[in-house]
Amino acid sequence: MKQEKIIAVVGLGLIGGSMAAALRGFEDYTVVGVVRRQETAEYAMSHGVCDRVTLEPMEVLPKADIVYLCMNPRGIVEYLAKYRGAFKPGALVTDVGGVKTAIMEGAKVLPETVDFIGCHPMAGTEFSGIEHSFPTMFQRAHFILTPGEKSTEEHMDLMRRISAHIGCSDVVVTTPERHDAIIAYTSQVMHIIAVAVCDDEDLFQCRGFEGGSFRDCTRVAALDVDLWTQLFSMNAPALTKVIERLEDNLHAYKEAVQSGDTKMLAEKLAWSANRKRQMNLPGPGQIML
Amino acid sequence: MKQEKIIAVVGLGLIGGSMAAALRGFEDYTVVGVVRRQETAEYAMSHGVCDRVTLEPMEVLPKADIVYLCMNPRGIVEYLAKYRGAFKPGALVTDVGGVKTAIMEGAKVLPETVDFIGCHPMAGTEFSGIEHSFPTMFQRAHFILTPGEKSTEEHMDLMRRISAHIGCSDVVVTTPERHDAIIAYTSQVMHIIAVAVCDDEDLFQCRGFEGGSFRDCTRVAALDVDLWTQLFSMNAPALTKVIERLEDNLHAYKEAVQSGDTKMLAEKLAWSANRKRQMNLPGPGQIML
């Protein structure tokens, strides 16, 4: 009898639940969810989130060919330390964490025989929990990989096939340090802006005056506090720099508005708007929407 | 023969084109577009944007029961001055401008017999021009009215029926000053954030690393430069204050991230996230999405 091929998805929350559901049907793998709570297991099975589910990591980790760690960043690092001896020799271990330097560092506890490739699928919502998960979450998203020093081409190719199966637009390979520096800008500071906007004293007076730009900018403010506290604090130096750059750019706009020099303001707006239009053009790593 | 009832929509750009198309079929009114360029007239007629179109304001203004001014704010003020004697006695003149104090001031040139009610439908996109207009633009949007001192209840009721016809979620009646103060926060500073984010030196290096929050926050950066230069400069004192409040709130987050005090950061994030969740609850003037 042919050996069953297994992908274990550890943690079926918003991202893990979506990942498990998206992975179903990937080649000839069986998707096994690993959860802590009986009710999550029941939800997963009754909603077809995975093929099987278990509350006992040791039932599946020693047999899994691929292990997808889908917890919060600190949870991932702790899990790697706790179960470092449990993975099958030759297994590929990966994750979905939004910071990569700390996680790649944490993965150093793994034995030589286990390959860890860091992964960050650039998708999500402002909600949390399996009941908000959905299998199309990763469609058209970037799929970022930070391979380890000993990651094999075979495993990189496997990750590329996973990326295609779950519907990602492209695979971006980078270093953990570069990932964290850029993500501070493209993701973390967007969340800082959203919460800072909601701190405004006029927030509750503005009902009836919001348009699409307000809803879009503040959408992610209703964030998962524990997750984002970890993401921000595990990337604090890079994030601090990006906030400082934003402060400078905002301040320059404040001065342009305040100056009353409409010609200068128009030129400044034209410059920024052109940069955005340039970004919207198709290019490397660019999604066509 | 019964007299034809006419709504003249002056300026068929992104907003005017959408407004004309949305107004079609409103009670027994004929929607007549007033444009400056022959090609806009041809586009409007071939795409069913309005019932009729003219390049000559004097052909329709003296006959129109309702005149919807859909140009840029300065264009609206100039048009009111130029055509102040052309409107039909008893007519209702309104507009779509994103600043209201300057426009209500400009409307003071109108004769006693003409009623001006300021209007700001809270909808739009980052594009411009009739080719980007669409009749469903105002669906579920707030419809803000700033009546003049002598605006009649009959005309206010007419505006409420227009709001319902074009699909707005609710009608908010306020003063021009309050509108401008709040809009500086809910709309203008969202655009300032979007352009300031696009001024970041890492913009073009971040391709392949953007997720939904980045796309949502920067969407409106590809703005109509002339329009937003007018909107910002015609509301500079209110906008400056809101940018300053945002600078303070951002700075507080920078210090929380930098401090390394994760408990304090978590408490701060929980506070902001709860404010956003509170905003998302149904309430007065709140759209259910």
Side-chain angles (χ1 to χ4, degrees):
Chain A
M1 205 187 93
K2 207 180 152 201
Q3 185 78 33
E4 183 185 32
K5 288 165 78 178
I6 290 175
I7 306 183
V9 179
V10 183
L12 296 179
L14 175 73
I15 306 293
S18 299
M19 182 58 79
L23 281 170
R24 285 194 74 182
F26 173 62
E27 298 177 358
D28 51 352
Y29 287 86
T30 301
V31 179
V32 182
V34 183
V35 299
R36 282 187 299 193
R37 294 187 308 147
Q38 181 60 33
E39 60 186 300
T40 310
E42 282 163 17
Y43 185 99
M45 288 317 290
S46 63
H47 289 77
V49 170
C50 44
D51 297 309
R52 288 205 306 274
V53 68
T54 179
L55 279 82
E56 181 42 70
M58 291 310 290
E59 262 180 24
V60 64
L61 293 184
K63 293 188 284 182
D65 303 282
I66 306 171
V67 179
Y68 232 122
L69 301 177
C70 302
M71 302 84 94
N72 282 0
R74 290 204 196 283
I76 292 170
V77 170
E78 287 162 15
Y79 206 85
L80 285 166
K82 182 170 179 187
Y83 290 101
R84 65 181 179 274
F87 301 105
K88 181 171 155 177
L92 167 63
V93 181
T94 184
D95 78 307
V96 295
V99 288
K100 296 266 72 94
T101 309
I103 289 172
M104 294 307 288
E105 193 59 34
K108 288 185 177 164
V109 299
L110 293 174
E112 284 280 326
T113 53
V114 177
D115 190 1
F116 188 89
I117 298 180
C119 177
H120 184 191
M122 290 297 296
T125 73
E126 66 276 28
F127 303 109
S128 58
I130 192 170
E131 62 275 23
H132 293 291
S133 68
F134 54 100
T136 55
M137 175 179 281
F138 307 103
Q139 284 181 14
R140 300 191 299 186
H142 300 298
F143 192 77
I144 306 175
L145 297 180
T146 58
E149 280 169 29
K150 297 162 295 179
S151 293
T152 65
E153 196 42 51
E154 182 196 339
H155 282 153
M156 286 297 280
D157 193 54
L158 185 53
M159 291 303 286
R160 287 189 196 96
R161 299 201 307 276
I162 286 176
S163 166
H165 182 78
I166 67 175
C168 288
S169 61
D170 51 9
V171 175
V172 178
V173 181
T174 189
T175 62
E177 295 75 20
R178 179 156 185 267
H179 169 277
D180 289 359
I182 300 188
I183 232 64
Y185 172 50
T186 58
S187 170
Q188 297 191 335
V189 90
M190 300 301 124
H191 289 74
I192 293 285
I193 289 169
V195 286
V197 165
C198 288
D199 283 354
D200 193 277
E201 62 192 41
D202 270 358
L203 179 70
F204 297 115
Q205 280 73 56
C206 87
R207 279 189 170 177
F209 294 84
E210 330 91 273
S213 61
F214 187 83
R215 284 185 208 105
D216 282 356
C217 178
T218 61
R219 177 179 60 82
V220 293
L223 44 72
D224 178 331
V225 172
D226 190 43
L227 171 64
W228 287 94
T229 301
Q230 291 187 21
L231 291 170
F232 293 155
S233 58
M234 291 167 92
N235 199 27
L239 178 55
T240 302
K241 271 185 217 155
V242 177
I243 299 175
E244 280 167 1
R245 299 203 305 256
L246 176 64
E247 285 183 306
D248 290 345
N249 290 326
L250 267 180
H251 196 76
Y253 261 110
K254 193 193 80 172
E255 296 201 323
V257 168
Q258 219 171 4
S259 73
D261 183 344
T262 54
K263 188 165 168 289
M264 185 263 276
L265 178 59
E267 282 168 6
K268 192 167 167 54
L269 284 170
W271 193 77
S272 308
N274 281 340
R275 286 171 67 83
K276 173 60 179 170
R277 289 200 184 90
Q278 190 66 28
M279 266 301 278
N280 287 350
L281 294 175
Q286 182 67 10
I287 294 177
M288 299 284 292
L289 286 176
Chain B
M1 205 187 93
K2 207 181 150 202
Q3 185 78 34
E4 183 185 32
K5 287 165 78 178
I6 290 175
I7 305 183
V9 178
V10 183
L12 296 179
L14 174 73
I15 305 293
S18 299
M19 182 57 79
L23 282 170
R24 284 193 75 181
F26 174 62
E27 298 177 358
D28 50 351
Y29 286 87
T30 302
V31 178
V32 181
V34 184
V35 299
R36 282 187 299 192
R37 294 186 309 145
Q38 182 60 34
E39 59 186 301
T40 310
E42 282 163 16
Y43 185 99
M45 289 316 290
S46 64
H47 289 74
V49 170
C50 45
D51 298 309
R52 288 205 308 273
V53 68
T54 179
L55 279 82
E56 180 42 71
M58 291 311 289
E59 262 180 23
V60 63
L61 294 184
K63 292 188 286 183
D65 303 281
I66 305 170
V67 179
Y68 231 123
L69 301 177
C70 301
M71 303 85 93
N72 283 358
R74 290 205 197 282
I76 291 169
V77 171
E78 286 162 18
Y79 207 85
L80 286 165
K82 182 170 179 187
Y83 291 101
R84 64 180 179 274
F87 301 104
K88 181 170 154 178
L92 167 62
V93 182
T94 184
D95 77 308
V96 295
V99 288
K100 297 265 70 96
T101 309
I103 288 172
M104 294 307 289
E105 193 59 34
K108 289 186 177 163
V109 298
L110 293 173
E112 285 278 327
T113 53
V114 177
D115 190 0
F116 188 89
I117 298 179
C119 177
H120 184 191
M122 290 296 297
T125 74
E126 65 277 27
F127 303 108
S128 58
I130 192 169
E131 63 275 23
H132 293 290
S133 68
F134 54 100
T136 56
M137 174 179 283
F138 307 102
Q139 284 182 13
R140 299 192 298 185
H142 300 298
F143 192 77
I144 306 175
L145 297 179
T146 58
E149 280 169 31
K150 296 161 296 179
S151 294
T152 65
E153 195 43 50
E154 181 196 338
H155 283 153
M156 287 296 281
D157 193 54
L158 184 53
M159 291 303 286
R160 286 188 196 98
R161 299 200 309 274
I162 285 176
S163 167
H165 182 78
I166 67 176
C168 288
S169 60
D170 51 10
V171 175
V172 178
V173 180
T174 189
T175 62
E177 295 75 20
R178 179 155 185 266
H179 169 277
D180 289 0
I182 300 188
I183 232 65
Y185 172 50
T186 58
S187 170
Q188 298 192 335
V189 90
M190 301 301 124
H191 289 74
I192 293 285
I193 289 169
V195 287
V197 165
C198 288
D199 283 355
D200 193 278
E201 61 192 41
D202 269 358
L203 180 70
F204 297 115
Q205 280 73 55
C206 89
R207 279 189 171 177
F209 295 83
E210 329 92 274
S213 60
F214 187 84
R215 286 187 206 103
D216 283 356
C217 179
T218 61
R219 178 179 60 83
V220 294
L223 44 71
D224 178 331
V225 172
D226 189 41
L227 171 64
W228 287 94
T229 301
Q230 291 186 21
L231 291 170
F232 292 155
S233 58
M234 292 167 92
N235 199 26
L239 177 55
T240 302
K241 269 185 219 157
V242 177
I243 299 176
E244 281 166 0
R245 298 203 306 255
L246 176 63
E247 286 183 306
D248 290 344
N249 290 326
L250 266 181
H251 196 77
Y253 261 110
K254 194 193 80 173
E255 297 201 323
V257 168
Q258 217 170 6
S259 72
D261 183 344
T262 55
K263 187 166 170 287
M264 185 263 277
L265 178 59
E267 281 168 6
K268 192 165 165 56
L269 284 170
W271 193 76
S272 309
N274 281 340
R275 286 170 67 83
K276 173 61 179 168
R277 289 200 185 92
Q278 191 66 28
M279 267 302 278
N280 287 350
L281 295 175
Q286 182 67 9
I287 294 177
M288 298 286 292
L289 285 174

